[in-house]
Amino acid sequence: MNVLITGSAGLIGSAATKLFLDQGYVVHGVDNNSRAQFFGEEGSTDKIKHELEKQQNYTHHQLDIRDSENMKEVFKTNTFDVIIHAAAQPSHDWSGKFPVIDFEINAFATVQLLELTREFAPDAAFIFTSSSKVYGDHPNNLPLIESESRYDLPQKHELYHGVPETMSVDHSMHSPYGAGKLAADVMVQEFGRYYGMKTTVLRCNCLTGPAHAGAKLHGFLSYLVKCIVRGEEYVVNGYKGKQVRDNIHADDLVAAMYEVAQKPGSGVVYNIGGSRENSVSILEAIKLIEEISGKTAKYTIAPEARRGDHIWYISDNRNFQKAYPNWNLKYPIKKVLTEMIRALS
């Protein structure tokens, strides 16, 4: 069994590569370390790439996913049973400065990859790493209640367990990043529905883990841990630091991908994340990191939030768990943070 993984040296791609290798797959990875271009050397994935290249049954392709001709050669010279598309420009902030490049990477390159799959591997399971940003700032319209440490919904609210896949994606501000991911998300669905391909969209919230090369413009939890452990100042973007996110460990997400690969759907969409049990506000995350690390955080709270940013977002995993009952979260938030702190010690 052969799998193609884009973004193979990134957080999710590298975790997926390791899991599928462990399960006996032959893995072809595509990655050009674009994170170093986006975020500087602190975002570089070269170290992970070199580690992967030492693995048996792994072949690395140093390619930009926008390079259609060389990507076509990868498909022409190999057969694939599974395609995991994890490559992306991942930053909300970066996309606002470079919307055309963001769209080329996140949307147009996804369509090219889908078309190559349709031509050369039409029976493959195609799994796309989408984003909670496809909903834009709709969650901000929920009746949120402010407490000492977070914004949250009343326990009796129908969305208390998290945002479902049925939330509207229209009439909201997404950021260019969110709009590009939404375009790709819909095309992945359409190749499943229109062409009958085995496509699955996983709409993720905050992805993290000890392998995350968090940077100022991306990967809030990883970058927050890095700042506190190193004694550097962290700047919170608005909302009094009470904005809430659910965080999912990379290994939990790729375990979900493996389940999908064994029983792929067609044009299906699932929200997936750390759910309510792994949700924290930034203030709560700071407190947990201080407790685990023994360090004192240095931070300031900027008055302005990012445009289109969520005040509160928690993923409702229940539809995915219903479709794939063997999958469950194995990394609670304290374990996630402990691993991340140890990786920096």
Side-chain angles (χ1 to χ4, degrees), residues 138-146 151-159 312:
H138 262 304
N140 293 356
N141 297 322
L142 293 168
L144 299 170
I145 297 171
E146 182 181 357
Y151 289 101
D152 210 340
L153 285 174
Q155 288 191 12
K156 293 183 179 180
H157 194 276
E158 62 180 346
L159 300 191
W312 176 96

Side-chain angles (χ1 to χ4, degrees), residues 256-274:
M257 291 176 169
Y258 184 78
E259 293 294 322
V260 173
Q262 309 314 303
K263 191 180 73 172
S266 180
V268 292
V269 180
Y270 297 106
N271 286 353
I272 190 164

Side-chain angles (χ1 to χ4, degrees), residues 6 36 69 107 187 210-211 231 292 316 330:
T6 69
E69 289 304 311
M187 286 300 287
I292 297 167
D316 187 343
K330 294 183 178 179

Side-chain angles (χ1 to χ4, degrees), residues 13 27 44 94 120 128 174 176 216 258 281 290 303 330 338 340:
V27 178
S44 175
W94 198 95
F120 295 101
F128 175 56
H174 295 77
K216 185 176 181 179
Y258 184 78
S281 70
E290 287 180 327
K330 294 183 178 179
T338 299
M340 295 167 74

Side-chain angles (χ1 to χ4, degrees), residues 226-233 295-296 298:
K226 190 180 295 184
C227 286
I228 294 175
V229 170
R230 294 177 179 177
E232 300 171 0
E233 185 177 29
K295 307 278 187 177
T296 300
K298 300 175 183 177

Side-chain angles (χ1 to χ4, degrees), residues 73-86:
E73 283 301 310
V74 173
F75 275 85
K76 286 174 66 176
T77 54
N78 299 280
T79 58
F80 297 115
D81 304 288
V82 180
I83 293 159
I84 294 174
H85 183 25

Side-chain angles (χ1 to χ4, degrees), residues 147-195:
S147 70
E148 183 178 347
S149 65
R150 66 156 61 191
Y151 289 101
D152 210 340
L153 285 174
Q155 288 191 12
K156 293 183 179 180
H157 194 276
E158 62 180 346
L159 300 191
Y160 180 76
H161 291 288
V163 172
E165 297 83 356
T166 52
M167 176 170 277
S168 174
V169 298
D170 296 319
H171 306 294
S172 61
M173 185 186 295
H174 295 77
S175 79
Y177 166 78
K181 292 297 278 190
L182 175 58
D185 182 311
V186 173
M187 286 300 287
V188 174
Q189 293 180 58
E190 200 62 22
F191 270 68
R193 295 176 185 275
Y194 191 86
Y195 297 113

